[in-house]
Amino acid sequence: MKVVVAIIKPFKLTDVHSALHAIGVDGLTVYQAKGHGHQKGHSEIYGSVEYVAHYLAKLRVEVIVPEEQVEVVVKAVADAARTGTTGDGKIYVQPVDSVTRIRTGDRDELAL
């Protein structure tokens, strides 16, 4: 099993959720996040005061899937989250040693 983690722009969440649902991935976890990559934040002027935002609002989306489904999930998320502009985000994959469904006690593949 693997956890696929995607850092995406907030307005792309609905697209990512729909893409995952379309390939049969129903469970996901979403966290609010802040950060920056190459764009290094941005500055805006409100009235006569310049406001510098060093960290931009992002979402962290996590899904746990069987190893054979990883590439399909990565492609679906990448296609759904892509705008073609700087700051679209990143996707990374990490191993998962074990999963337990709390309600039933099911473990690993049965818990997905």
Side-chain angles (χ1 to χ4, degrees):
M1 288 177 299
K2 302 283 186 176
V3 60
V4 178
V5 179
I7 309 299
I8 65 170
K9 292 181 176 183
F11 68 89
K12 296 302 285 183
L13 179 60
T14 301
D15 294 340
V16 169
H17 179 263
S18 296
L20 289 170
H21 185 72
I23 61 170
V25 176
D26 294 321
L28 69 138
T29 303
V30 179
Y31 304 88
Q32 291 185 356
K34 290 186 178 190
H36 71 78
H38 293 290
Q39 77 272 30
K40 310 254 188 301
H42 64 88
S43 63
E44 295 181 12
I45 297 177
Y46 295 105
S48 61
V49 178
E50 183 177 16
Y51 168 75
V52 178
H54 295 286
Y55 303 103
L56 302 174
K58 301 289 183 177
L59 293 178
R60 175 183 167 126
V61 179
E62 295 182 1
V63 295
I64 299 174
V65 296
E67 195 158 346
E68 58 273 4
Q69 204 173 6
V70 168
E71 290 305 315
V72 174
V73 169
V74 168
K75 181 176 181 352
V77 171
D79 290 347
R82 183 176 298 115
T83 67
T85 61
T86 301
D88 274 352
K90 297 275 190 290
I91 300 171
Y92 56 94
V93 180
Q94 297 176 308
V96 173
D97 293 332
S98 180
V99 176
T100 302
R101 184 185 312 269
I102 294 172
R103 178 178 53 86
T104 62
D106 290 344
R107 301 207 28 121
D108 300 328
E109 299 290 330
L110 293 174
L112 297 180

